Structures are given as C-alpha cells and as structure tokens.
Amino acid sequence: MSLKKLFKPKSIAVIGASTNPEKIGHQILKNIIDGGYKGDIYPVHPKADEILDLECHSSVTDIKGKVEMAVIVVPAKIVPSIIEECGKKNVKAAIVISSGFSEVGDKGAKLEKELAETAEEAGVRILGPNCQGINNTVQNVCATWPLTTKKGPISIIAQSGTIGAALECWAEEDNIGISKFAMLGNRADIDETKLLEFFSKDRTTDVIALYLEGVKNGRKFFEVAKEASEKKKIVVLKGGRSEKGAEAVLTHTRSLAGEYKVFKSVCKQAGLILVESINELYDVCKGIAGLPKPKGKNTIILTSSGGSGILAADAAEDLDLNLMDLPEKSIKRLKKKLPSECIIQNPIDLTGSATAEMYDEAIKVLARYKDVHSIVIIVGDPMPGISDVIKERFERLTLVPVMLGGGKEEVEEKKKLQEEGIPVFSTPENAMKALSTL
Amino acid sequence: MSLKKLFKPKSIAVIGASTNPEKIGHQILKNIIDGGYKGDIYPVHPKADEILDLECHSSVTDIKGKVEMAVIVVPAKIVPSIIEECGKKNVKAAIVISSGFSEVGDKGAKLEKELAETAEEAGVRILGPNCQGINNTVQNVCATWPLTTKKGPISIIAQSGTIGAALECWAEEDNIGISKFAMLGNRADIDETKLLEFFSKDRTTDVIALYLEGVKNGRKFFEVAKEASEKKKIVVLKGGRSEKGAEAVLTHTRSLAGEYKVFKSVCKQAGLILVESINELYDVCKGIAGLPKPKGKNTIILTSSGGSGILAADAAEDLDLNLMDLPEKSIKRLKKKLPSECIIQNPIDLTGSATAEMYDEAIKVLARYKDVHSIVIIVGDPMPGISDVIKERFERLTLVPVMLGGGKEEVEEKKKLQEEGIPVFSTPENAMKALSTL
C-alpha cells in the first residue's frame, strides 16, 4: 500500500478526542479543523455528545460514514483493541500518538509488538506509536501540533516531533512553507525508508529534511535514499553522535545510534547532504526550497559590509565554493558605474555608502557574464529599495540575499522579499552553507 | 587621555550634517536626537539654517558653546582641515565617518597619514576614519546607525560596522541590550587595544564582543587582553581566516589577517573565547549577559523533546560540559513526582505529554542537590505557564531556557521571559555552546 490514505484521507476519526482544551486529544482535533481539512471529521469519545461543534461517537465502529484514517490518542494499553476495531471499520491508516510503548521498557515493548501484530492482521498501516502525527499542507491535513498551514516545497521526516515542528514553524515564519511532515515515533510499522520512498515521488516536494537517531534497516534505507536523492535533495541531521547522546537515543526511540563515522560515509555515498545542527538543517532546506539552482560553483559576493563579505569569503573556502576572479571586462564596467570608494574585486565592497541603485548597477553588469553562476547579496545597512532590486533579477541569476545590521528598514525590506517567497539569510555563513549545497 | 569624551561627551557637533534624509550626515544626527541624547547638539552645514529643528552653524569654530566631541561626515580630502578647526575649538574627540582613506589605496593612505598627524598636533583623538561611529546606551549617545537604545551588559568592538550593528539589533530584539559599541574603521588613532582597555574598566559592561580582521599591535593587544579577560568575558570572532578572506581584509581595513592558527593559540593563552560565526558570537554573548554563572560544569538536560535532548547531549560532549549522572536520591524522588512515561536519566525526558507543572516538579527536586550546577530546560512543545516556572528559579539555579517547535504559545512564553531579561535560545546546540563558556 502507498501512504496515500495516511496523508490524503477523505475522512478522519480522532479516537480519544478530548473536551479538555489542554489535552492533545483536543488540540489535534482543533488543528485538523482549523487547518481547513475538507473531509469528514469524526471525534470519538465514550461519553461526550459534541466536541468543538462536531458530533461525537462512542466508538469508531459506531460511525455511520466511511473512515479512511484514524488518529489515536488513548492510553497505551487499549491501543491494540482500538486498532482491531479500526480494522473492522476498514480504516486503512492510523496515527498512534499515545506513548507508553517500547520507549518505556520491556513491558511497553511487548505491548508494541502486540500492536504491530494486531495492525498487520487488521490491515491497518500505522505511524508511531509515541509520535506527533503528520501534516500535509497541500490537502489541509494538520494532524499534528502546533498548527502550521503554509504550503511550500520542504517535506520533513523526523524521529523527533519537536525538531520537525521547529522546521515547520520557521518555514511558516519565513513564508517558505512545507509540503508534508511525518513524525516517526517508535516505527512499529511505517519507517523512514517507507516515508522517504513516498516523499521522493511527491510532486509538491523539492527537498526532504530528515532528522534521524538510528536507521531501522540500514541496507534498505540507503538503497532507497540513493534512488531518492536523484529526484530530490535530501538533507540529514543525525542525533546521538556522542556516547551520552547514543544512550539517550536508546530510551527515546529504541534506536541504535550506530557509529557516526560509518553513517557519514554511507550518507555521502547515497548522495545525502549531512548537516551538524538544527539551524543548518533549516537554512540548507530553506536555500534549496527558495533559491534558483545555480549553473555552477562560481560565485561573487556583493556587499555593503566589508566584514560580512570577508566572513562569506572565509566560508566559501571551507565549503568549496569558487570565489571567482571578476571577469576582466566587468572590472572596467563596474569602475565606470560605481563611485570611486567601491572596492572592485571579489568580494565587491560597495562600502557603507552603498545604495540600492549601486547594487542594481553592479548586478546589471555582472548579469552579462555567463560564468557568473551566483551572486551573494549582502545588505549590511538600512537599504530602502533593495528588495525591488533583488526581486527583479532573482530568478534569472541565482541571487542569495543576506541581511543583517539594518534596523527597521531591514525588517521592511526583508518582509517584502519573503512575501515573494524569496529566502533571506541572517548571516553570511548560513547563506554560503545553503548555496554550497545547491 | 581616556576615551571618556568620545563616549560621554557633554556636547556634540555633527560636521557634515545633511538636509537630505537619505544621507548618513542626516541619519546620524537624527539618531543622536532620537536616541535621547541630553547634551547640546550642533549641526554644522555651510548653508542650511536648520536641520531637524536644530540651528546650524557654518563651521565648528562658529559654535558659541563648548564642543566636546565631533562626528565628521564630509568628503575625505577636507577631513584634515576640519580636524584642525576642531583642535582650535578645543574638541577632544572626533568620530570620522568619512571613507576614502587607506582603504582605497596609496593616495588615500597618504591622506590618512596626514589626518593622523593633524589630529595629534591638534590634540584631537579620533575614531576611524571609514567607521560607523559609537553607541553608548547608558548615556544615550547613539552616534551610529541604525538606532538602538536598549541598555544591557554587552559591549562591542568591531572592525565591521555591520557585524557590530547586527549584534546591537539582535540584542535589542531579545531585550538583552548593549552598553557600548565602537566601530574601529581604519584605526588611524584609536584602536582595538585602547578600546578593550577602556571597556574592561567600564562598570556597565560584563561581556565584550570583538570582531577583528587583524590586530594592529599584537604584543600590546594580547597583553591588554590578558588583563582584561580577568575582569570581563571577552568573545572574539576573526575574519580573514581563508586566503580570499585575507585578501579582502587588506582592502577592507588595511589589516594583515595573519595566520589563524597563531591567532587562535594566542587567544587561548590570553583567556579569550574564540567563536567561528556571527551567530555563535551573538549567542555566546547573550548567554554570558543573561545567564547566572553556574558553579561548575555539571549539567542536567530537562526536556519535553527527546530529540532535542539528544542533540544537546551530543553538543555537551563536544563542548566538554559534564552531563552528570542524576544524583542517586533524586531518581527515586523524580519517579515519585513524575508520570511513569517520563524517562529518568540525563537527559530527563518528560515526553510530549509534559506540562509546566511537571517541569516545576522536576526542577524543585533537582534544586536540592548542590552538585547540580545548571539545568538546560528544553521546551519543545506548546507549554503554557512555563515562563513562570523558569522565572521562579532562574536566579538561584543556572537555568538555560531553550524553546523550539512550540508555535504561538512559544512566542508568548518566550516574550514573557525576555521581558524579564532572561535569554531564550532557539536551538539546543546554541544553548550548550553559550553554557559552556560560562
């Protein structure tokens, strides 16, 4: 079975929906409603008549209509019996939010095994248990928390709900958005390999962010990853690189963290982009999601801030980007168009007296040369009008906007770019990192 | 002379004040006014009668009152003669914003030499040329741009206006604030050593952020730095680590970037904290500025997000923080106070069903043990009320708040902490880095 019923169900039952606004069983129902889900929603509650204006049912089998997907938020010990009922109701996929399975020890592990067996017999594919659900902005299915709805090209597979949610929140704030999000939990059934395969075929996904603690089936995963990385960019952050971290991994998701060196080398072979922090994971995804792909490694830094240009140059060297010599003919043209205080080398330093017009002139000159593959535009001062300059040529050239130290004007100009879905980086180092992965 | 007249002048002349709101000569005058400066302000303009409601003077010598400090924004070639006039007027310190000196080549270098000699003869200490001025929030002197006014314990010395300004802007946004900021420019007179000495004696400064491209007088600088680092924490970012970066340094501020390895080892000897990116520079300063100093390296991670806890544990190992075993007796107490799904080891994982009350219970138990030096509080879900829990014990224990993936509730709780001047980190890695430098 594909995971279609999990991500695009025509109807959803929330089993364990709660009348108490502080409970997950209430919040997740509310997020499905507030996220604009268009199918039928059935809250299941043993006693309540209504939750959030929706009629309640005492069990999933009591629901009259068809149920394609169930979200389960009930105490661990009754989850297997609930799954059995789901099977009877012909529910195809279930998200098990409930915790208290293998992550709490042997007793829980036994219960998880029972759950997996029951699900298989019942013909219900399950995500979790001990997970934070899924989000599919494209079909308005926010069966997770917090609520995010901005549509975009990033899809996320995470062994941590929080890390996935952080990416969703930042992508919403930056107006970049996500396509799909799935939190793995204990992987009693659906795992990272299955999801990666599914997302790699998803038309609305351009880049896949992965947070992993351990891979369930290494050989299979890397086989699938290798194929997937030919279709989509895949960015990976690995938790549990240290000894103490690996110990925590064992209790968090019962994964074996494994040797990081080995993981690193296999990722490289499979064409995955490995990053070392949450910030990097996000910035690289944001770059891939929003920047036009450059035709090569040749880059020019155009800056009003000498210092930021230097830090960008330092980063370029670390990241194997080619800080090219300026094309011979461009030097003469740039000198003609720009005031004498400008420093015409790479980085091109427009100095503190830079204006949006000067950026425009410089970009116009550089755009004439085919071997200029990308321009990193560092705006280190208040610069009214710079957003229009960047917008005009953003698509044709790969322009990488960086803004810092520009006060209120920066906030305004940044917002104008974000409204167009153009990513803006807040430090030169992050921008160079993102560019290097394109 | 101390730098008192530069940072706390009783009166300021802005020579080259402009009627055009787009010019620096207008903006800097406006920022001095809008920043709430309480002394006399004299715009100097050859023709205008009034700028921003202030009476203009045709030259500094025409001003009737005393002038202690001058901000100079006139074309490079007339700067030396202006400084001469300043000397006649008994002006003690001048900020030369104007560019067009050694950074543009030999001709400029000659002019800069002339400027330095004139200033020395005239008895005027100068900052710059080619600089972005100073800020002193404590005495409301914002002779720079953009305007920032939030008072706090960070002081900044930067060879890049933008990098300094970025720190100022972020510190204002986070309600941490700064004490003083000085942008070095070409260092014709006042240099990083002089400023470091001055800031190290400043009562309102706890931490000094340095962005350097090259040190003017290495031996003297590290002598002063060694002494200064016994009084204040000093955090250093070095630009020009790469070959291309070093080339750009030469044209940016005529500094010699030098060998990074050597710089690194001398910094270590002098007790300076070296960082590798602007983000790190800010986060470390923010941590020092806002977190109570822990009594030792023993730390416990308390999290609602297993994954974030694992990344924090990975970072702890890299940073030589001691992720201690939980005190024997605390384990029993924690098990009693917390629901059974919680994982009682270090990191302590309260799981996705965590509540503010659970954090409170756990912190209360851990606070009993003297060898628990710090607790990293990772809030990875919407968590109403968590700010009150953190506020209550923030001072007594070193609590390090991290918030991510918490949607709207996170924004609210974060704001409540920031209003109290409590720093909140947005990723576990940054928080651990900041903690490790305390």
Side-chain angles (χ1 to χ4, degrees):
Chain A
M1 185 201 83
S2 104
L3 300 177
K4 219 178 131 188
K5 300 287 178 200
L6 182 66
F7 287 97
K8 309 176 196 176
K10 291 206 180 96
S11 49
I12 302 175
V14 179
I15 306 173
S18 171
T19 53
N20 178 350
E22 286 189 7
K23 298 269 182 183
I24 294 291
H26 185 94
Q27 287 160 16
I28 207 162
L29 175 64
K30 190 169 189 301
N31 287 348
I32 295 169
I33 300 168
D34 293 352
Y37 179 64
K38 301 217 168 49
D40 296 317
I41 311 173
Y42 304 105
V44 175
H45 186 285
K47 288 175 230 156
D49 289 334
E50 234 187 54
I51 303 177
L52 293 165
D53 296 331
L54 290 171
E55 186 196 345
C56 285
H57 300 263
S58 59
S59 79
V60 68
T61 46
D62 280 349
I63 298 168
K64 294 251 158 54
K66 212 176 149 188
V67 177
E68 287 199 344
M69 194 262 272
V71 178
I72 299 175
V73 206
V74 299
K77 61 179 186 297
I78 64 165
V79 173
S81 64
I82 295 285
I83 289 290
E84 226 179 308
E85 286 185 42
C86 285
K88 284 180 195 152
K89 182 67 191 166
N90 209 18
V91 175
K92 292 293 174 204
I95 297 168
V96 183
I97 305 290
S98 320
S99 57
F101 290 88
S102 61
E103 81 282 5
V104 296
D106 291 344
K107 218 173 141 187
K110 220 180 125 190
L111 189 63
E112 188 167 310
K113 206 170 159 235
E114 190 193 328
L115 168 64
E117 286 165 4
T118 311
E120 205 182 339
E121 269 175 48
V124 183
R125 294 301 304 252
I126 59 173
L127 183 70
N130 183 29
C131 91
Q132 197 168 327
I134 66 108
N135 194 356
N136 175 8
T137 61
V138 185
Q139 269 83 18
N140 307 305
V141 188
C142 183
T144 183
W145 66 93
L147 173 66
T148 63
T149 56
K150 172 70 195 160
K151 295 174 186 18
I154 303 173
S155 283
I156 305 161
I157 301 168
Q159 240 174 322
S160 154
T162 297
I163 294 168
L167 298 184
E168 288 185 293
C169 292
W170 295 331
E172 176 134 315
E173 211 179 293
D174 285 349
N175 203 33
I176 299 280
I178 66 138
S179 171
K180 290 174 185 60
F181 159 72
M183 198 284 199
L184 290 166
N186 296 3
R187 306 178 291 191
D189 172 16
I190 297 166
D191 63 11
E192 58 281 1
T193 306
K194 188 82 194 156
L195 284 162
L196 189 59
E197 202 174 5
F198 183 70
F199 285 178
S200 73
K201 291 171 189 159
D202 180 45
R203 274 189 318 109
T204 58
T205 297
D206 289 342
V207 46
I208 301 169
L210 271 170
Y211 169 72
L212 290 177
E213 292 172 0
V215 172
K216 208 171 155 192
N217 180 338
R219 183 180 293 271
K220 179 82 179 139
F221 173 77
F222 285 108
E223 256 176 48
V224 168
K226 202 170 175 180
E227 219 167 286
S229 71
E230 281 164 22
K231 290 179 247 165
K232 316 278 180 187
K233 295 264 185 188
I234 303 170
V235 191
V236 186
L237 174 65
K238 171 78 169 63
R241 300 186 295 268
S242 67
E243 203 185 306
K244 294 267 185 178
E247 275 174 35
V249 159
L250 201 61
T251 49
H252 183 223
T253 47
R254 289 281 141 187
S255 306
L256 286 171
E259 191 72 56
Y260 188 52
K261 252 195 250 166
V262 177
F263 184 82
K264 227 167 153 168
S265 99
V266 189
C267 279
K268 211 178 156 185
Q269 283 169 39
L272 310 185
I273 301 162
L274 203 64
V275 293
E276 305 278 331
S277 69
I278 305 180
N279 266 340
E280 238 182 65
L281 178 62
Y282 176 62
D283 274 320
V284 167
C285 287
K286 170 170 142 177
I288 297 169
L291 294 172
K293 200 174 150 60
K295 294 208 175 67
K297 281 185 181 185
N298 294 346
T299 189
I300 289 174
I301 298 164
L302 179 62
T303 182
S304 74
S305 159
S308 306
I310 288 160
L311 292 177
D314 286 343
E317 201 161 284
D318 293 343
L319 295 164
D320 194 29
L321 280 163
N322 181 31
L323 211 62
M324 69 189 294
D325 292 331
L326 294 183
E328 200 57 61
K329 285 182 186 164
S330 76
I331 296 176
K332 220 175 135 185
R333 287 203 174 97
L334 286 166
K335 283 193 172 158
K336 211 173 132 191
K337 296 282 185 187
L338 297 171
S340 65
E341 70 265 25
C342 295
I343 297 162
I344 312 297
Q345 59 185 32
N346 190 3
I348 301 173
D349 187 353
L350 302 175
T351 80
S353 49
T355 60
E357 291 70 38
M358 283 160 65
Y359 278 94
D360 193 44
E361 291 289 358
I363 296 169
K364 254 192 275 180
V365 170
L366 297 172
R368 302 164 74 130
Y369 303 93
K370 273 197 185 152
D371 51 344
V372 176
H373 301 137
S374 60
I375 308 176
V376 179
I377 310 283
I378 304 177
V379 182
D381 296 88
M383 197 74 57
I386 191 68
S387 59
D388 290 327
V389 172
I390 293 172
K391 270 190 253 171
E392 202 188 323
R393 278 184 191 73
F394 179 72
E395 281 298 336
R396 268 176 297 163
L397 267 158
T398 297
L399 300 186
V400 186
V402 184
M403 291 187 175
L404 71 168
K408 277 177 211 153
E409 287 86 349
E410 176 185 313
V411 176
E412 281 164 33
E413 295 296 317
K414 193 173 168 178
K415 212 178 143 208
K416 285 183 203 164
L417 289 174
Q418 287 176 337
E419 279 165 6
E420 304 284 318
I422 296 177
V424 181
F425 296 88
S426 60
T427 71
E429 297 99 336
N430 294 3
M432 297 311 274
K433 176 73 193 181
L435 176 60
S436 75
T437 63
L438 295 178
Chain B
M1 186 203 81
S2 104
L3 300 177
K4 219 178 128 184
K5 300 287 179 201
L6 181 67
F7 286 97
K8 307 176 196 177
K10 292 207 179 91
S11 50
I12 303 175
V14 178
I15 307 173
S18 170
T19 53
N20 178 350
E22 286 189 6
K23 297 267 182 186
I24 294 291
H26 185 93
Q27 287 160 16
I28 206 163
L29 175 64
K30 191 168 188 298
N31 287 348
I32 294 169
I33 300 167
D34 293 351
Y37 178 63
K38 300 217 167 51
D40 296 318
I41 311 173
Y42 304 106
V44 174
H45 187 284
K47 289 176 226 149
D49 290 332
E50 235 186 53
I51 303 177
L52 292 165
D53 296 332
L54 288 171
E55 187 196 344
C56 285
H57 301 263
S58 59
S59 80
V60 67
T61 47
D62 280 349
I63 298 167
K64 294 252 159 52
K66 214 176 148 187
V67 176
E68 287 199 344
M69 195 262 271
V71 178
I72 299 174
V73 205
V74 299
K77 61 180 188 297
I78 64 163
V79 173
S81 64
I82 294 285
I83 289 290
E84 225 178 311
E85 285 185 42
C86 285
K88 284 181 193 149
K89 182 65 191 168
N90 208 20
V91 174
K92 292 295 175 204
I95 297 167
V96 183
I97 304 291
S98 322
S99 57
F101 290 89
S102 61
E103 82 281 5
V104 296
D106 292 344
K107 218 173 144 189
K110 218 178 129 193
L111 189 63
E112 187 167 309
K113 206 169 160 238
E114 191 193 328
L115 167 64
E117 285 165 2
T118 311
E120 204 181 340
E121 268 175 46
V124 183
R125 295 300 304 254
I126 59 173
L127 184 71
N130 184 29
C131 91
Q132 198 167 327
I134 65 109
N135 194 356
N136 174 8
T137 60
V138 185
Q139 270 82 21
N140 307 305
V141 189
C142 184
T144 183
W145 65 93
L147 173 66
T148 62
T149 57
K150 171 69 195 162
K151 294 173 187 22
I154 304 173
S155 283
I156 305 161
I157 302 168
Q159 239 174 323
S160 154
T162 296
I163 294 168
L167 298 184
E168 288 185 291
C169 292
W170 295 331
E172 177 135 313
E173 213 178 291
D174 285 349
N175 204 33
I176 299 280
I178 66 138
S179 171
K180 292 174 184 61
F181 160 73
M183 197 284 198
L184 290 166
N186 296 4
R187 304 179 291 191
D189 172 17
I190 297 166
D191 63 11
E192 57 282 2
T193 306
K194 188 83 193 153
L195 284 162
L196 189 59
E197 202 176 4
F198 182 70
F199 284 178
S200 73
K201 291 171 188 158
D202 180 44
R203 276 189 315 111
T204 58
T205 298
D206 290 341
V207 46
I208 302 169
L210 272 170
Y211 169 72
L212 291 176
E213 292 172 0
V215 171
K216 209 173 158 192
N217 179 338
R219 182 181 293 271
K220 178 82 178 139
F221 173 77
F222 284 107
E223 256 174 47
V224 168
K226 202 170 173 180
E227 220 168 284
S229 71
E230 283 165 21
K231 288 179 248 167
K232 316 277 181 189
K233 294 266 184 186
I234 304 170
V235 192
V236 186
L237 174 65
K238 171 78 170 61
R241 299 185 295 269
S242 67
E243 203 185 307
K244 292 268 184 178
E247 274 173 35
V249 159
L250 201 61
T251 49
H252 183 223
T253 48
R254 288 282 142 188
S255 306
L256 286 169
E259 190 71 58
Y260 188 54
K261 252 195 250 165
V262 176
F263 184 82
K264 228 168 152 167
S265 98
V266 190
C267 279
K268 210 177 158 186
Q269 282 169 40
L272 310 185
I273 301 161
L274 204 63
V275 293
E276 305 279 331
S277 70
I278 306 180
N279 267 340
E280 237 182 65
L281 178 62
Y282 176 63
D283 273 320
V284 167
C285 288
K286 171 170 141 178
I288 297 170
L291 293 173
K293 198 173 151 58
K295 293 206 176 69
K297 282 185 180 184
N298 294 345
T299 191
I300 290 173
I301 298 164
L302 178 63
T303 183
S304 74
S305 158
S308 307
I310 288 161
L311 292 177
D314 287 343
E317 198 160 285
D318 292 343
L319 295 165
D320 193 29
L321 279 163
N322 181 30
L323 211 62
M324 68 189 294
D325 291 330
L326 293 183
E328 200 57 60
K329 285 182 188 167
S330 76
I331 297 177
K332 220 175 134 185
R333 287 202 175 99
L334 288 165
K335 284 194 171 159
K336 210 173 132 190
K337 296 282 185 187
L338 298 170
S340 64
E341 70 265 26
C342 296
I343 296 161
I344 312 297
Q345 59 184 32
N346 190 4
I348 300 173
D349 188 353
L350 302 175
T351 80
S353 50
T355 61
E357 291 69 38
M358 283 160 65
Y359 278 95
D360 194 43
E361 290 288 358
I363 296 169
K364 255 193 275 182
V365 170
L366 297 172
R368 301 165 74 128
Y369 303 92
K370 274 195 183 153
D371 53 340
V372 175
H373 300 135
S374 61
I375 308 176
V376 179
I377 310 284
I378 304 177
V379 182
D381 296 88
M383 196 73 58
I386 191 67
S387 59
D388 291 326
V389 172
I390 292 172
K391 269 192 252 171
E392 202 188 324
R393 279 184 190 74
F394 179 70
E395 283 296 337
R396 270 176 295 163
L397 267 161
T398 297
L399 300 186
V400 185
V402 184
M403 291 186 177
L404 70 168
K408 277 180 209 150
E409 287 86 349
E410 176 185 313
V411 176
E412 281 164 33
E413 295 296 317
K414 192 173 168 179
K415 210 176 144 211
K416 286 183 202 164
L417 289 175
Q418 287 176 336
E419 277 166 7
E420 305 284 318
I422 296 177
V424 181
F425 297 88
S426 60
T427 71
E429 297 99 337
N430 294 2
M432 298 311 273
K433 176 75 193 179
L435 177 61
S436 74
T437 63
L438 295 177

